Amino acid sequence: GGAFSNPVTSGVIDTFNSGVGAPVSRMFDRNFLSSDTDNYQSTNASGSWFTLDFKTRTVIPSVIALQHRYLGSNLFRTIQISGSNDNSSFTTLTNFTSTKNTGYAYDLITIGTTVPYRYLRVTHTSLDSSGANYFIVSECLVWGTLSA
């Protein structure tokens, strides 16, 4: 129980990224109807990614939900989700292509693994809906089994 606390800003998880235009922590604030001041946004670079570090714990992810930005432009398209226990060697868990064309839309991405991982990486592997390389996500939610 208790009040919600952003897991990034409260130190429960760490995040890393390939180049940031706006902080990753914005994806974990539960502000579902956001503006561009509330999104994670990469730089305009091919293969942009963010990594979640569960620190002393591991997670067996079952579903990852990614919410598109509030505008209907620069929506992410093809992504790859990978797992690692050393933040160096990553195993591809799934590839996913979004067909969403409106802002605020969620993609629910099923992960078919029974392996626990300390690190989850989400990589944008294509151009966005506007033909650029921005990777913009409003909210990120992870469901799965978390180690004690």
Side-chain angles (χ1 to χ4, degrees):
F4 172 80
S5 177
N6 182 314
V8 177
T9 58
S10 66
V12 174
I13 64 172
D14 282 332
T15 59
F16 311 98
N17 58 70
S18 59
V20 68
V24 176
S25 62
R26 291 180 175 181
M27 291 188 298
F28 298 94
D29 63 4
R30 292 175 59 181
N31 184 0
F32 302 109
L33 299 177
S34 62
S35 67
D36 266 349
T37 61
D38 193 52
N39 296 324
Y40 158 71
Q41 178 176 320
S42 73
T43 56
N44 187 9
S46 178
S48 296
W49 53 265
F50 63 85
T51 298
L52 309 178
D53 177 3
F54 290 85
K55 298 168 106 173
T56 60
R57 303 174 93 177
T58 59
V59 63
I60 301 171
S62 56
V63 174
I64 294 179
L66 298 176
Q67 185 184 29
H68 291 268
R69 69 187 296 205
Y70 80 105
L71 295 173
S73 61
N74 296 103
L75 304 176
F76 60 80
R77 285 295 171 235
T78 305
I79 62 168
Q80 180 180 81
I81 299 175
S82 306
S84 174
N85 285 307
D86 62 8
N87 200 27
S88 177
S89 176
F90 282 83
T91 300
T92 299
L93 304 178
T94 193
N95 291 292
F96 178 82
T97 300
S98 176
T99 59
K100 305 293 191 222
N101 290 310
T102 58
Y104 293 130
Y106 267 96
D107 279 307
L108 298 177
I109 305 160
T110 302
I111 312 295
T113 187
T114 57
V115 178
Y117 293 101
R118 175 178 168 179
Y119 303 94
L120 294 179
R121 177 170 287 174
V122 182
T123 305
H124 192 227
T125 59
S126 67
L127 296 175
D128 64 30
S129 64
S130 299
N133 284 299
Y134 291 107
F135 187 19
I136 304 173
V137 180
S138 181
E139 289 292 318
C140 176
L141 303 167
V142 178
W143 285 271
T145 304
L146 188 64
S147 69

mmCIF file of all heavy atoms in Angstrom, residues 38-59:
data_model
loop_
_atom_site.group_PDB
_atom_site.id
_atom_site.type_symbol
_atom_site.label_atom_id
_atom_site.label_comp_id
_atom_site.label_asym_id
_atom_site.label_seq_id
_atom_site.Cartn_x
_atom_site.Cartn_y
_atom_site.Cartn_z
ATOM 1 N N ASP A 38 6.128 16.200 -20.531
ATOM 2 C CA ASP A 38 6.017 15.025 -19.681
ATOM 3 C C ASP A 38 6.450 13.739 -20.389
ATOM 4 O O ASP A 38 6.163 12.659 -19.922
ATOM 5 C CB ASP A 38 4.563 14.897 -19.197
ATOM 6 C CG ASP A 38 4.443 13.901 -18.073
ATOM 7 O OD1 ASP A 38 5.190 14.032 -17.084
ATOM 8 O OD2 ASP A 38 3.638 12.973 -18.194
ATOM 9 N N ASN A 39 7.115 13.828 -21.518
ATOM 10 C CA ASN A 39 7.546 12.652 -22.269
ATOM 11 C C ASN A 39 9.028 12.404 -22.097
ATOM 12 O O ASN A 39 9.798 13.329 -21.897
ATOM 13 C CB ASN A 39 7.323 12.859 -23.782
ATOM 14 C CG ASN A 39 5.881 13.004 -24.152
ATOM 15 O OD1 ASN A 39 5.018 12.378 -23.570
ATOM 16 N ND2 ASN A 39 5.618 13.837 -25.135
ATOM 17 N N TYR A 40 9.416 11.130 -22.251
ATOM 18 C CA TYR A 40 10.814 10.823 -22.538
ATOM 19 C C TYR A 40 10.988 11.052 -24.032
ATOM 20 O O TYR A 40 10.129 10.653 -24.829
ATOM 21 C CB TYR A 40 11.161 9.365 -22.212
ATOM 22 C CG TYR A 40 12.390 8.897 -22.964
ATOM 23 C CD1 TYR A 40 13.649 9.373 -22.623
ATOM 24 C CD2 TYR A 40 12.283 8.017 -24.033
ATOM 25 C CE1 TYR A 40 14.778 8.973 -23.323
ATOM 26 C CE2 TYR A 40 13.412 7.610 -24.731
ATOM 27 C CZ TYR A 40 14.651 8.088 -24.373
ATOM 28 O OH TYR A 40 15.758 7.700 -25.075
ATOM 29 N N GLN A 41 12.060 11.693 -24.422
ATOM 30 C CA GLN A 41 12.331 11.910 -25.846
ATOM 31 C C GLN A 41 13.817 11.737 -26.088
ATOM 32 O O GLN A 41 14.644 12.371 -25.437
ATOM 33 C CB GLN A 41 11.905 13.308 -26.282
ATOM 34 C CG GLN A 41 12.215 13.591 -27.738
ATOM 35 C CD GLN A 41 11.701 14.948 -28.174
ATOM 36 O OE1 GLN A 41 10.609 15.355 -27.796
ATOM 37 N NE2 GLN A 41 12.488 15.654 -28.961
ATOM 38 N N SER A 42 14.152 10.872 -27.058
ATOM 39 C CA SER A 42 15.550 10.699 -27.438
ATOM 40 C C SER A 42 15.982 11.844 -28.343
ATOM 41 O O SER A 42 15.169 12.654 -28.786
ATOM 42 C CB SER A 42 15.726 9.376 -28.190
ATOM 43 O OG SER A 42 15.161 9.479 -29.502
ATOM 44 N N THR A 43 17.251 11.874 -28.645
ATOM 45 C CA THR A 43 17.727 12.758 -29.690
ATOM 46 C C THR A 43 17.312 12.153 -31.031
ATOM 47 O O THR A 43 16.868 11.003 -31.093
ATOM 48 C CB THR A 43 19.262 12.906 -29.630
ATOM 49 O OG1 THR A 43 19.847 11.609 -29.706
ATOM 50 C CG2 THR A 43 19.696 13.593 -28.337
ATOM 51 N N ASN A 44 17.439 12.889 -32.104
ATOM 52 C CA ASN A 44 17.065 12.409 -33.434
ATOM 53 C C ASN A 44 18.206 11.555 -33.986
ATOM 54 O O ASN A 44 18.943 11.961 -34.872
ATOM 55 C CB ASN A 44 16.756 13.598 -34.355
ATOM 56 C CG ASN A 44 16.204 13.160 -35.694
ATOM 57 O OD1 ASN A 44 15.879 12.001 -35.914
ATOM 58 N ND2 ASN A 44 16.096 14.101 -36.614
ATOM 59 N N ALA A 45 18.356 10.356 -33.414
ATOM 60 C CA ALA A 45 19.450 9.457 -33.779
ATOM 61 C C ALA A 45 18.910 8.043 -33.992
ATOM 62 O O ALA A 45 18.076 7.568 -33.219
ATOM 63 C CB ALA A 45 20.512 9.447 -32.695
ATOM 64 N N SER A 46 19.395 7.388 -34.995
ATOM 65 C CA SER A 46 18.990 6.020 -35.307
ATOM 66 C C SER A 46 19.327 5.070 -34.152
ATOM 67 O O SER A 46 20.385 5.181 -33.535
ATOM 68 C CB SER A 46 19.712 5.566 -36.580
ATOM 69 O OG SER A 46 19.381 4.239 -36.885
ATOM 70 N N GLY A 47 18.412 4.140 -33.865
ATOM 71 C CA GLY A 47 18.667 3.130 -32.844
ATOM 72 C C GLY A 47 18.595 3.636 -31.417
ATOM 73 O O GLY A 47 19.204 3.056 -30.513
ATOM 74 N N SER A 48 17.837 4.687 -31.161
ATOM 75 C CA SER A 48 17.719 5.232 -29.809
ATOM 76 C C SER A 48 17.119 4.199 -28.862
ATOM 77 O O SER A 48 16.260 3.420 -29.243
ATOM 78 C CB SER A 48 16.850 6.485 -29.822
ATOM 79 O OG SER A 48 17.460 7.504 -30.583
ATOM 80 N N TRP A 49 17.563 4.217 -27.613
ATOM 81 C CA TRP A 49 17.097 3.230 -26.633
ATOM 82 C C TRP A 49 17.089 3.831 -25.224
ATOM 83 O O TRP A 49 17.730 4.833 -24.955
ATOM 84 C CB TRP A 49 17.986 1.983 -26.645
ATOM 85 C CG TRP A 49 19.457 2.259 -26.478
ATOM 86 C CD1 TRP A 49 20.371 2.393 -27.480
ATOM 87 C CD2 TRP A 49 20.166 2.469 -25.247
ATOM 88 N NE1 TRP A 49 21.613 2.666 -26.942
ATOM 89 C CE2 TRP A 49 21.524 2.713 -25.581
ATOM 90 C CE3 TRP A 49 19.803 2.484 -23.910
ATOM 91 C CZ2 TRP A 49 22.505 2.952 -24.633
ATOM 92 C CZ3 TRP A 49 20.772 2.730 -22.945
ATOM 93 C CH2 TRP A 49 22.108 2.947 -23.315
ATOM 94 N N PHE A 50 16.353 3.134 -24.344
ATOM 95 C CA PHE A 50 16.465 3.388 -22.912
ATOM 96 C C PHE A 50 16.532 2.042 -22.209
ATOM 97 O O PHE A 50 16.007 1.044 -22.691
ATOM 98 C CB PHE A 50 15.327 4.264 -22.364
ATOM 99 C CG PHE A 50 13.952 3.671 -22.465
ATOM 100 C CD1 PHE A 50 13.465 2.816 -21.486
ATOM 101 C CD2 PHE A 50 13.135 3.975 -23.538
ATOM 102 C CE1 PHE A 50 12.187 2.281 -21.574
ATOM 103 C CE2 PHE A 50 11.856 3.451 -23.639
ATOM 104 C CZ PHE A 50 11.386 2.587 -22.655
ATOM 105 N N THR A 51 17.230 2.009 -21.084
ATOM 106 C CA THR A 51 17.410 0.792 -20.302
ATOM 107 C C THR A 51 16.899 1.017 -18.894
ATOM 108 O O THR A 51 17.157 2.059 -18.292
ATOM 109 C CB THR A 51 18.898 0.386 -20.254
ATOM 110 O OG1 THR A 51 19.349 0.113 -21.580
ATOM 111 C CG2 THR A 51 19.114 -0.853 -19.394
ATOM 112 N N LEU A 52 16.179 0.030 -18.376
ATOM 113 C CA LEU A 52 15.712 0.030 -16.994
ATOM 114 C C LEU A 52 16.615 -0.901 -16.194
ATOM 115 O O LEU A 52 16.831 -2.048 -16.596
ATOM 116 C CB LEU A 52 14.271 -0.456 -16.908
ATOM 117 C CG LEU A 52 13.264 0.216 -17.842
ATOM 118 C CD1 LEU A 52 11.887 -0.405 -17.666
ATOM 119 C CD2 LEU A 52 13.232 1.705 -17.599
ATOM 120 N N ASP A 53 17.130 -0.428 -15.086
ATOM 121 C CA ASP A 53 18.001 -1.216 -14.212
ATOM 122 C C ASP A 53 17.253 -1.463 -12.901
ATOM 123 O O ASP A 53 16.962 -0.529 -12.161
ATOM 124 C CB ASP A 53 19.303 -0.448 -13.957
ATOM 125 C CG ASP A 53 20.243 -1.152 -12.990
ATOM 126 O OD1 ASP A 53 19.944 -2.277 -12.537
ATOM 127 O OD2 ASP A 53 21.298 -0.555 -12.687
ATOM 128 N N PHE A 54 16.967 -2.737 -12.637
ATOM 129 C CA PHE A 54 16.235 -3.099 -11.426
ATOM 130 C C PHE A 54 17.172 -3.268 -10.225
ATOM 131 O O PHE A 54 16.762 -3.777 -9.186
ATOM 132 C CB PHE A 54 15.385 -4.347 -11.677
ATOM 133 C CG PHE A 54 14.226 -4.070 -12.590
ATOM 134 C CD1 PHE A 54 14.383 -4.111 -13.968
ATOM 135 C CD2 PHE A 54 12.989 -3.715 -12.083
ATOM 136 C CE1 PHE A 54 13.322 -3.827 -14.822
ATOM 137 C CE2 PHE A 54 11.918 -3.426 -12.924
ATOM 138 C CZ PHE A 54 12.098 -3.480 -14.292
ATOM 139 N N LYS A 55 18.427 -2.869 -10.404
ATOM 140 C CA LYS A 55 19.448 -2.792 -9.361
ATOM 141 C C LYS A 55 19.700 -4.145 -8.701
ATOM 142 O O LYS A 55 20.248 -5.024 -9.334
ATOM 143 C CB LYS A 55 19.090 -1.706 -8.364
ATOM 144 C CG LYS A 55 19.036 -0.323 -9.010
ATOM 145 C CD LYS A 55 18.418 0.697 -8.105
ATOM 146 C CE LYS A 55 19.428 1.632 -7.542
ATOM 147 N NZ LYS A 55 18.834 2.732 -6.790
ATOM 148 N N THR A 56 19.323 -4.324 -7.455
ATOM 149 C CA THR A 56 19.595 -5.578 -6.737
ATOM 150 C C THR A 56 18.532 -6.637 -7.005
ATOM 151 O O THR A 56 18.622 -7.740 -6.480
ATOM 152 C CB THR A 56 19.675 -5.331 -5.221
ATOM 153 O OG1 THR A 56 18.419 -4.806 -4.778
ATOM 154 C CG2 THR A 56 20.796 -4.358 -4.886
ATOM 155 N N ARG A 57 17.550 -6.319 -7.827
ATOM 156 C CA ARG A 57 16.457 -7.251 -8.115
ATOM 157 C C ARG A 57 16.477 -7.647 -9.586
ATOM 158 O O ARG A 57 17.192 -7.054 -10.393
ATOM 159 C CB ARG A 57 15.123 -6.602 -7.751
ATOM 160 C CG ARG A 57 15.105 -6.165 -6.289
ATOM 161 C CD ARG A 57 13.880 -5.407 -5.957
ATOM 162 N NE ARG A 57 12.889 -6.346 -5.448
ATOM 163 C CZ ARG A 57 11.700 -6.001 -5.007
ATOM 164 N NH1 ARG A 57 11.338 -4.748 -5.019
ATOM 165 N NH2 ARG A 57 10.858 -6.897 -4.563
ATOM 166 N N THR A 58 15.676 -8.632 -9.921
ATOM 167 C CA THR A 58 15.472 -9.018 -11.312
ATOM 168 C C THR A 58 13.982 -9.080 -11.579
ATOM 169 O O THR A 58 13.174 -9.160 -10.654
ATOM 170 C CB THR A 58 16.103 -10.394 -11.639
ATOM 171 O OG1 THR A 58 15.524 -11.388 -10.800
ATOM 172 C CG2 THR A 58 17.619 -10.368 -11.466
ATOM 173 N N VAL A 59 13.632 -9.066 -12.860
ATOM 174 C CA VAL A 59 12.233 -9.151 -13.254
ATOM 175 C C VAL A 59 12.099 -10.158 -14.392
ATOM 176 O O VAL A 59 12.964 -10.230 -15.266
ATOM 177 C CB VAL A 59 11.670 -7.770 -13.663
ATOM 178 C CG1 VAL A 59 12.378 -7.209 -14.883
ATOM 179 C CG2 VAL A 59 10.166 -7.831 -13.876
#
